[in-house]
Amino acid sequence: IFTRIIFFSVVIDIFVAPKSIITKNTNMPLKQSFRLFLIFLFLHLNATAQEKLNIKFGTVSAADFEVQSALIDSSTNAVVIADVGKSQFIANTTEFTFSLVFTEKKRIKIINKNGFDAATITIPLYVSDNNKQEKMSDLSAYTYNLEEGKVVATKVEKSSVFSEKHSKNWNYQKFTFPALKEGSIIEYSYQVKSDFFFNLQPWTFQGEYPVLWSQYEASIPEFYKFVVLAQGYQPFFINKVESSQSSFNFVEHEMNTSQADLRGQTRSSSLNNFKVDGKIDHHTWVKKDVPALKEEAYTTTIRNAISKIEFQLNAVAFPHSFPQVYMDSWEKVANDLMLLPSFGVHIDRPNNWLDNDVNSIVGNAGSPKEKTQKIFEYVRDNFTWNHDNGIYVTSGLKDVFKNKSGSAADINMLLIAMLRTQKIPSNPVILSTRDHGYTDELYPLIDRYNYVIASAAIGDEQIFMDATAPGLAFGMLPSKVYNGHAREITKEMALPLYFIADSINETNIENVYIINAEKGGLEGSFVHYYGMNESSELRNSLRKKDPEEYKKEWKLTAPEDIKMENIEFDSLKNFDKPVAVKCNLKLNSFGDADIVYFNPMMNAGIKKNPFMAAQRYYPVEMPYTINDVYNLVFEIPKGYKVEELPKSARLTFNEDEGMFEDLISADATAIQMRCNLSFKKANFLNEEYDILRQFYAFIVSKEAEQIVFKKIK
C-alpha cells in the first residue's frame, strides 16, 4: 500500500503538475524526475507481481527447469512449484439447486528418483448412498523433460487413467506420469463436477514436499452458510474476501395434465425459466514457501499439523424460504446418538439378560466402587479387543458377550450396560485417539471421533475406564486417549471433557549397586521400576511373547562389558503396581589395564537426541510428563583410583517446567551418582523447540561423560 501511494504521488507530480513547478519549485530537473518515476514504477510492479503466481500453466520453457528456493536442500526429492484450486457454485440444469465445480492445476519438479512417488496422482470422487457420484472431466497431464536444450512433452493418455473403489462413499481416479526422469517437470489439471452442495472441496497447502505457491479460491453464494476451519502453523500470504452481486438462472420443469380422449389423460411438460439474485463471497487463500511436513519424534499425528482449510455446511437459506440447518447443536447430536440403534439403544434398554452374570461377577462386593472395579476387571480380563476403533457398536451386545470379543465400542458399551444393571450411573464418552487427530470444541463434527470409553459416577468421583487394554489398572486410561477435548454423551447433553497429557506422570526409577566380588572382579544388582503406562505396555507385550524371549532381548541391551544374569519380573499380575525388572550384574571392564574409561550411566542414558531437525514447524507432543531417576552406588575396583570424575551439573527448562540434574561424588572407596530428568508438562509449542533441542543435546553430552580409573602402582 505504501509503495502504491508513492507511485501515484509521483505520477501526479510529473504528469499533472505544471512544468514550472517541477523545474523551479522542486529544484529537480525533468529528466531526474522521470528517472525517479521509473524507479517507483518498478517497485510498484514488483510488489504487485509478488501477489500473483508467476508461471503459466500449460506452457513450460527451458528456464522453468531452474527452480530455486531456500526450501530445497539435499534431502528434497521433489518440490511443488504451484498448486492452484478453485471452487464455484453453478445453477443445476436439472434440479432447483446448485452444483459445485472444482478445478485444480498443479506443477511439480522431480529432483531425484526418490521423488518419483509424487508422479502417482489420486483424485477422490464422492459417491452417495444411492450411488450418485461426482464426475471428473477435462484431465490434461504432461511430463516435461529438457533434452538437448529443448522441452519435450509426453502426454498422459486417457487409457492409463483407472478407477479404484476405495470405500462405500469414495472412488479414486488414479494415474502415473510416463517418461519420468530426474529433473522432470510434471503438470496436470482437471475438473470435478459435484451435485453435492455440502461437499465443498477442502484444500491442503502442505505435504510431503515443499510447496512454493499454494492458492485456493472459493466463490460461495450467500445462500450457503459454511463454517471455515483453518489449520496449520504457516501464515497466509493472502487471505481476502471480495463480494459481488450475481444472478443464477434456473430451468424448472413443470408437468401439465390436460383432458384427452377416452383412453385417459395426456401429460405434457413446460419449461419455466427464472433467476435467483444474491451476493457471492469470493475467497482467496494463498500460502508461499511452505516447508515439507515430515513426521518427527513425539508427534501424535501429522494430521494435526498439516496446513489446510476445511468447510462444514452449517445452513442453507434461499430467499423467501425457511433456513435449513445442517449442523446441529451438541444437545441435538447427543439426543440423536442416544436414539441410534448402533449407539445409545444398546445401553438404554433394560438388558435384563445380563443380570445373573453380573450378579455373579459382583459377588459380595459392598460399595458401588467395588462393584464397578469387579465388573471392569471381568470385562478387561475376559474380552479381546479386535483393534477396531469407531464410536458405533458393530454387533449386538449379546453377541459380544457370547463371543468375548469386539471393537472398542462393542466392549466399552457392554461394560456400560453391565454397570447400569447394578444401578451404577454410567455413560459413554466419545473422543479421538492421539493418532486420529484433534476434535473441534465448538462444532459437533462427529466424523472426528473414533473411540468410546466408559464413565461411571460414584458419589463425587468420576471414574473413566477402557476395558480393551488387558494390562491396565482400574481407574487408568491408556495414553492414546489423552488427546484433549472429548464429550460424555447423555440423552440431554454432551458434556465437554478434557484428557490432557500434562495431567499424567510417568515415573521410571533405576537403581544400580556395584561392589567388589569376593573372588575378584565386580558384581552387583540392578532393578528398573517402570512407570504405570509403560508397565501396562510391557504386560500387553508379554501376553504375546514368551517371557524368556523378552529376557534374551533385555540381555542384548546391556553394554558389551556387562553381563546380566537371573532376570526376573515383579508385579506382572498386580496391575495396581508398576512392573519391576531385576537382575544380577557382572562387569568385565577392569582387568590389568592401566587406564579404564567407564560410563556410569551404563545403558540408562539417552544416547541420541530425539530432536534432530534444525527446525520444527509444529508442537512437540509427549504422551505424558516424565520423571526419570537413575541411582548408582559404585564401589571403586580394588587396585584402582579415580583419576577423573565428571562434574555435577543442573539445568532447568523454562525456569520450573523441566529439570535435568547429574549429581556425582566420590570418596576413597565408592562413587555415588544420581541423575534425574523431569518435565512438568508434555506438550511444547513449536516456538520452544530450539531450546528443547538444546536441552536434550546437553543431556546426551553429559550422560556420555566417563569416569577415568587409573591403576595404582
Side-chain angles (χ1 to χ4, degrees), residues 500-517:
I500 309 298
D502 289 355
S503 66
I504 53 176
N505 179 264
E506 188 79 349
T507 297
N508 286 274
I509 301 175
E510 196 164 294
N511 297 325
V512 181
Y513 184 68
I514 305 293
I515 61 172
N516 286 288

Side-chain angles (χ1 to χ4, degrees), residues 121 139 141 155-163 173-178:
I121 308 301
L139 176 66
K155 185 178 180 180
V156 175
E157 301 296 339
K158 290 184 179 180
S159 58
S160 63
V161 181
F162 65 95
S163 181
Q173 295 290 308
K174 289 187 171 183
F175 62 91
T176 300
F177 284 86

Side-chain angles (χ1 to χ4, degrees), residues 301-320:
T301 175
I302 210 73
R303 296 179 191 176
N304 290 336
I306 194 167
S307 183
K308 64 181 180 180
I309 282 183
E310 294 178 300
F311 305 90
Q312 293 290 333
L313 183 62
N314 188 17
V316 177
F318 286 111
H320 313 299

Side-chain angles (χ1 to χ4, degrees), residues 26-225:
T26 63
N27 296 318
M28 182 182 294
L30 180 60
K31 185 180 291 185
Q32 187 173 344
S33 298
F34 185 69
R35 286 176 181 171
L36 184 60
F37 160 70
L38 291 178
I39 291 172
F40 283 123
L41 176 62
F42 172 77
L43 291 173
H44 168 72
L45 294 176
N46 187 52
T48 304
Q50 289 177 355
E51 294 182 4
K52 295 182 179 180
L53 181 61
N54 58 2
I55 71 166
K56 184 179 180 181
F57 287 104
T59 302
V60 176
S61 67
D64 290 330
F65 286 83
E66 295 296 326
V67 180
Q68 302 294 327
S69 172
L71 297 177
I72 301 175
D73 57 26
S74 59
S75 66
T76 306
N77 302 318
V79 58
V80 178
I81 299 170
D83 191 10
V84 177
K86 185 176 183 179
S87 287
Q88 55 184 337
F89 287 77
I90 62 171
N92 192 303
T93 56
T94 58
E95 301 176 24
F96 180 42
T97 184
F98 283 82
S99 295
L100 271 165
V101 175
F102 169 75
T103 58
E104 182 179 14
K105 297 178 181 180
K106 193 170 187 177
R107 180 182 290 185
I108 304 171
K109 169 75 179 290
I110 306 296
I111 295 177
N112 56 47
K113 291 181 179 180
N114 293 328
F116 281 5
D117 287 345
T120 298
I121 308 301
T122 300
I123 300 171
L125 300 175
Y126 180 75
V127 182
S128 67
D129 291 339
N130 61 1
N131 289 324
K132 190 176 181 181
Q133 70 173 11
E134 297 174 331
K135 295 181 180 179
M136 185 186 77
S137 62
D138 299 337
L139 176 66
S140 175
Y142 287 87
T143 302
Y144 297 94
N145 289 304
L146 192 60
E147 299 179 4
E148 297 181 355
K150 295 183 179 181
V151 178
V152 178
T154 305
K155 185 178 180 180
V156 175
E157 301 296 339
K158 290 184 179 180
S159 58
S160 63
V161 181
F162 65 95
S163 181
E164 175 186 293
K165 186 174 181 60
H166 176 69
S167 65
K168 177 184 176 183
N169 294 114
W170 291 98
N171 285 340
Y172 286 170
Q173 295 290 308
K174 289 187 171 183
F175 62 91
T176 300
F177 284 86
L180 275 182
K181 299 178 182 180
E182 292 186 342
S184 295
I185 286 178
I186 59 175
E187 184 177 293
Y188 65 96
S189 63
Y190 64 94
Q191 181 182 94
V192 173
K193 172 80 177 298
S194 173
D195 291 331
F196 310 108
F197 56 82
F198 57 84
N199 196 25
L200 181 56
Q201 287 275 4
W203 187 257
T204 300
F205 297 92
Q206 194 172 28
E208 182 181 356
Y209 309 108
V211 182
L212 305 188
W213 183 280
S214 183
Q215 176 176 323
Y216 186 49
E217 299 177 21
S219 298
I220 305 175
E222 63 178 328
F223 323 122
Y224 293 96
K225 314 297 181 184

Side-chain angles (χ1 to χ4, degrees), residues 368-511:
K369 188 170 183 178
E370 288 177 323
K371 292 180 180 180
T372 301
Q373 182 168 354
K374 282 183 174 292
I375 294 171
F376 165 77
E377 290 175 346
Y378 175 82
V379 178
R380 178 197 65 194
D381 298 339
N382 291 278
F383 289 76
T384 302
W385 176 42
N386 62 16
H387 295 283
D388 285 343
N389 291 337
I391 66 171
Y392 302 109
V393 175
T394 62
S395 63
L397 295 187
K398 284 187 178 181
D399 291 334
V400 177
F401 193 85
K402 177 183 176 182
N403 298 326
K404 296 293 187 289
S405 68
S407 68
D410 295 336
I411 291 174
N412 286 323
M413 283 295 212
L414 175 64
L415 170 62
I416 293 168
M418 295 171 72
L419 291 170
R420 288 188 174 190
T421 65
Q422 295 293 307
K423 311 302 181 188
I424 297 170
S426 182
N427 295 313
V429 175
I430 61 173
L431 53 84
S432 174
T433 53
R434 288 169 66 89
D435 61 355
H436 189 252
Y438 293 138
T439 59
D440 194 287
E441 298 183 44
L442 297 178
Y443 306 109
L445 310 177
I446 295 300
D447 61 339
R448 296 196 176 186
Y449 295 78
N450 75 321
Y451 207 74
V452 177
I453 62 173
S455 168
I458 302 174
D460 295 332
E461 185 179 8
Q462 189 171 19
I463 300 174
F464 300 105
M465 294 161 283
D466 181 5
T468 67
L472 203 63
F474 174 64
M476 279 190 62
L477 290 173
S479 60
K480 67 182 180 182
V481 310
Y482 284 86
N483 194 36
H485 171 257
R487 291 276 171 166
E488 181 179 359
I489 305 300
T490 70
K491 280 186 176 180
E492 295 79 23
M493 63 185 68
L495 298 168
L497 298 171
Y498 298 89
F499 297 97
I500 309 298
D502 289 355
S503 66
I504 53 176
N505 179 264
E506 188 79 349
T507 297
N508 286 274
I509 301 175
E510 196 164 294
N511 297 325

